[in-house]
Every structure is written in C-alpha cells, then in structure tokens.
Amino acid sequence: MLKHAITIAVFLLILVPSYSYSKVRGEATHLSIHSEILDEERELFIHLPNSYYLSNSHSTSKPLSTTREQLESQLHYPVLYLLDGQRNFAHAVGTLDLLNQSNMAQEMIVVAIANTHRSRDFTPTYDANYNEWGRFGGADNFLDFIEKELVPYINKNYRANNFKIISGHSLGGLLSVYALQSRPHLFQAHFAFSPSLWWQEQVIFDDAETFFSDTSELNNYLYINMGSEGGHMLTSYQRYIELLNTHKRKGFNYNTDLDTSEGHNTTALAGHSLAYQNLYKSLQPSNEVLSGGIPAIKQFYKAQSEMYGYDIKPSYRAINSVGYKALSEKDYSTAIAIFQSNVESYHYKADAYDSLADGFEASGDLQKALEMRSLAIQKSVVENVENGAYKTRHANLLKKIQDKNL
C-alpha cells in the first residue's frame, strides 16, 4: 500500500508545472465611472485578491454564470479605498499581497481613486492662504461621491462585504481623519499617513474633542503615522496623538507610529505594511479566546458579525493555531479534524493541505500524509506561492516511508 502511495505521489508531482509567476498575485482592472455629484469622470484602479476566483469552487477557472446560492456561499472581501490612486496603487497592492501569503493581513479588494482636483477633494474647508494650489474645500462632496456612487458601484459589481477602509497620505491623510470624525459609519478603518492636520489653523480639532468624548460605541480603527517632519506637520500630529491617548472611546482601536527614518514621501510606503498588520491583529481573537478552542473562536466571530453587520467566518490563522495546539498535545484526532475543516473552508490554500499532512504524519498515517503533501505542492502552483518547504517535507516523508520498507 505504501509503495502504491509513493507511485501516486511521484506521478502527481510530475504533473505539477515547475514555473511560477513573479508578479503581484490577483487581478488588476483599470476603468472609469461618471460621477453625477462631482460632474466628472473618475478613473479607478481595482485589484482583486488572489483568492477571488480560486475560492469560487474547486476549479480555478472563472465561472460563466453564478446562481444566487453560489454567490452567497462565495467569499466576500473588505474594500480598501485608496487615495492618490496612481501614486499608491502598486506599492499598496504589492505589500498587501506579500502579507497575505504569510496570513499577516486581511485579503482585500483595493479600489484606488486617481486624482482630478486633489486639493479640492481632500480638504474640508476653504483657506485663502493656499489659493495658488487651486480649488479646495470639497471634502464633503468627495465623500458623498464615495458613499453614494462609488461604494454602491463596487458592491454591485464585486463581492464586497460591509467592511470598508480609507487610506490617505498627507492631504489624503487629513481626509481620512475628517471622514472618521464626520462620517464614522462610512468606513470601519482609517489609515492616515503623515496627515496634514495643520490645515487651516488645525480646523480638524474643532470637532475632535467632542467626537472622542462621545460615550457611544464607535467600532472603528485608526492607523496614523508621521516621518521626519517638523513644524506644523509634527506639532499637529503630536496634538492629535495626545487627544487619542487621553480619550478611550468604546469600540475604538488605534495605532500610532513616529518613524524619523522615513521622510514625508515614504510614510505611506512604510506605513501600509504596519497599518495592514495592525488592523488584522485588532480583528483577530485574543490568546484568551484561542485557549477556549473552536467554540470560543466561533463565538468571537459571531459577535464580530453582529458588530459589523455581515457574516464573518473564523480566520484561517485562528483555526490553524488551535489545530497545532491539539497536535502539540498529541490529540491527533482533534488536530486532524480541525485541519480538515480548514481544508474544506480554504480548499485553495496550499498551507491548509500541508497542515493536514502534519496531522496525519504525526498520527502515523503516512499514506494520507503523503497524499496531502502532494496536494499542497499542486495547490501551491495554482495559488502561486513559494513551495520549496512543501517539496522538502514531501521528499523527507518519501524517505521516511522508504526507510520503513527496508
């Protein structure tokens, strides 16, 4: 039987192509939509996560048609609305994909909005001191465009869930903070890199104290950073951080970073990685919840689903950690059952099959372990992830089986 398993495993590996694609995974689209509110065309760069089509079914091809029941069973994704779209799209998407491969960030649909009148769209008020910049003071109109036109368009055409993030740099960071304070319902997370909080004598602070003193539950997240910037950029940032630290609004999480190794033009580049990771951590179950096992994890995500208004299934990382805890305690049947559930939920992830192989190998079922090692390698090619470790573990298992036969 073991020799038969070896033959199958080797045959399957022969079928696996040896090439991979050295590009950001997923699919990018460039399009434009007309805005009645702004009375202009708005150019968009949209990136779908790597699993967007892989998660549809056990087939890797795009479906020609989808029933309502199939649509409801497919994965739906948070949407990152990215400002200064032409400038930030490539690095924001690439960083996110890298983190996704290590289960360190949420998979997201990225909608990058190219600029037309940047100073107009990102500033909440008129300031005569900056007339040379052109038009400004149109932040509310721009947020109306996002809320009433862009979000409905994305929701209609893509598998988006209710979780939305806005990401902005400099004046875009000002808009991100302004959106949090003026429309906390619109986005559930806000990234603000080197935000221009100094705008018009720090007008953003007029409502900030009242906003953060509110006793109602906010259920929102903010990441804010600053680089090696001085003057009013730094003092307004420090004032805002002091405000955050002295008000603990219920349901609100935030992270701040002052990194003087980065300049104004690179805080978004460095900050996106930290923002993605910190947001993901803020939405993950604590070690205390994880220690409660699968029932506690399911209860945690049930509460999250009620909080954000859509069905959130337990994350791959959370379930897998409980599986490895059972494996370390030599509770092999429980570990295998947990790993199997991740295979069923994330059938496109090579790592799910590799973990299940760990469970079978530890329990002594080398034949099933070998089958899963082979499947992990096959899936890794379709998923387009590094598979050197999978191949090594496969080879080591083959040697173990051969040694037992001697």
Side-chain angles (χ1 to χ4, degrees):
M1 182 65 88
L2 287 175
K3 288 183 178 179
H4 180 63
I6 293 172
T7 302
I8 292 175
V10 172
F11 176 72
L12 289 174
L13 285 179
I14 291 173
L15 296 179
V16 175
S18 59
Y19 56 81
S20 61
Y21 303 96
S22 56
K23 64 178 184 179
V24 176
R25 305 174 311 153
E27 181 176 296
T29 304
H30 176 214
L31 55 89
S32 64
I33 66 171
H34 181 75
S35 169
E36 295 289 342
I37 292 171
L38 299 175
D39 191 26
E40 63 187 12
E41 295 292 314
R42 294 307 299 239
E43 188 179 12
L44 306 174
F45 304 91
I46 300 173
H47 186 269
L48 304 179
N50 190 56
S51 68
Y52 192 86
Y53 292 111
L54 295 180
S55 64
N56 284 357
S57 68
H58 289 270
S59 169
T60 60
S61 61
K62 299 178 187 178
L64 296 177
S65 62
T66 307
T67 67
R68 182 172 181 175
E69 290 76 15
Q70 288 172 326
L71 183 64
E72 289 175 351
S73 68
Q74 293 169 355
L75 285 180
H76 288 65
Y77 299 86
V79 181
L80 174 73
Y81 290 91
L82 181 66
L83 306 178
D84 292 320
Q86 289 172 299
R87 179 183 179 91
N88 291 315
F89 183 66
H91 77 80
V93 166
T95 298
L96 180 59
D97 182 53
L98 175 65
L99 295 172
N100 288 159
Q101 294 181 54
S102 300
N103 298 304
M104 296 172 68
Q106 293 174 295
E107 288 188 298
M108 303 176 192
I109 297 169
V110 177
V111 178
I113 309 167
N115 293 324
T116 54
H117 300 282
R118 185 176 188 270
S119 58
R120 176 200 71 183
D121 291 341
F122 296 170
T123 55
T125 57
Y126 169 81
D127 190 337
N129 293 317
Y130 296 94
N131 280 332
E132 73 275 11
W133 288 14
R135 302 160 65 184
F136 41 84
D140 283 308
N141 266 355
F142 186 68
L143 291 174
D144 279 344
F145 155 68
I146 293 177
E147 182 171 10
K148 298 175 183 178
E149 295 179 323
L150 182 54
V151 169
Y153 175 85
I154 296 300
N155 288 347
K156 179 181 178 181
N157 291 280
Y158 300 94
R159 298 201 313 273
N161 60 35
N162 289 348
F163 200 97
K164 301 178 294 297
I165 306 106
I166 184 171
S167 175
H169 170 255
S170 196
L171 285 178
L174 170 67
L175 180 72
S176 183
V177 172
Y178 179 69
L180 170 64
Q181 294 180 194
S182 64
R183 307 187 191 200
H185 64 278
L186 180 53
F187 302 102
Q188 288 64 56
H190 300 72
F191 299 165
F193 309 113
S194 290
S196 300
L197 302 177
W198 51 266
W199 178 259
Q200 200 184 26
E201 300 180 354
Q202 303 186 5
V203 67
I204 195 72
F205 289 92
D206 288 356
D207 300 318
E209 181 75 32
T210 301
F211 177 76
F212 286 111
S213 298
D214 193 319
T215 57
S216 63
E217 193 162 357
L218 182 55
N219 295 330
N220 219 302
Y221 173 82
L222 171 67
Y223 175 87
I224 183 170
N225 77 354
M226 184 66 58
S228 58
E229 297 141 292
H232 55 196
M233 283 289 293
L234 179 60
T235 55
S236 60
Y237 169 81
Q238 290 172 328
R239 182 182 175 188
Y240 206 83
I241 300 309
E242 183 178 355
L243 186 69
L244 291 174
N245 290 337
T246 53
H247 295 78
K248 303 296 182 183
R249 187 164 173 182
K250 186 178 180 182
F252 179 62
N253 294 303
Y254 66 92
N255 293 100
T256 67
D257 282 303
L258 179 60
D259 185 357
T260 56
S261 67
E262 301 293 341
H264 181 73
N265 291 329
T266 59
T267 51
L269 180 68
H272 265 111
S273 175
L274 295 172
Y276 289 142
Q277 293 180 67
N278 285 318
L279 172 61
Y280 186 62
K281 289 175 185 175
S282 75
L283 298 170
Q284 291 295 298
S286 65
N287 289 333
E288 182 180 357
V289 171
L290 293 176
S291 67
I294 300 299
I297 292 174
K298 288 183 176 179
Q299 182 58 42
F300 173 85
Y301 283 100
K302 180 182 178 182
Q304 265 204 351
S305 299
E306 293 171 354
M307 180 187 303
Y308 292 113
Y310 67 97
D311 183 46
I312 305 175
K313 71 176 184 177
S315 72
Y316 174 81
R317 189 168 89 169
I319 298 296
N320 229 39
S321 69
V322 177
Y324 276 107
K325 182 176 183 294
L327 196 63
S328 69
E329 296 169 350
K330 299 185 179 180
D331 185 355
Y332 301 127
S333 60
T334 297
I336 289 170
I338 291 172
F339 292 140
Q340 183 66 54
S341 72
N342 254 353
V343 165
E344 293 168 359
S345 297
Y346 299 91
H347 60 83
Y348 53 90
K349 285 184 71 70
D351 191 70
Y353 295 86
D354 188 62
S355 295
L356 182 55
D358 286 345
F360 282 132
E361 185 169 353
S363 72
D365 193 338
L366 302 188
Q367 179 182 347
K368 287 186 177 179
L370 190 64
E371 292 172 6
M372 293 304 109
R373 297 279 184 225
S374 299
L375 282 170
I377 296 171
Q378 291 180 68
K379 294 286 183 177
S380 71
V381 175
V382 178
E383 193 185 358
N384 194 16
V385 293
E386 290 281 354
N387 60 13
Y390 301 147
K391 290 180 177 178
T392 298
R393 287 193 279 273
H394 183 275
N396 290 341
L397 179 56
L398 275 175
K399 186 176 185 305
K400 181 190 291 187
I401 292 172
Q402 291 166 349
D403 290 344
K404 283 182 177 291
N405 287 342
L406 292 178

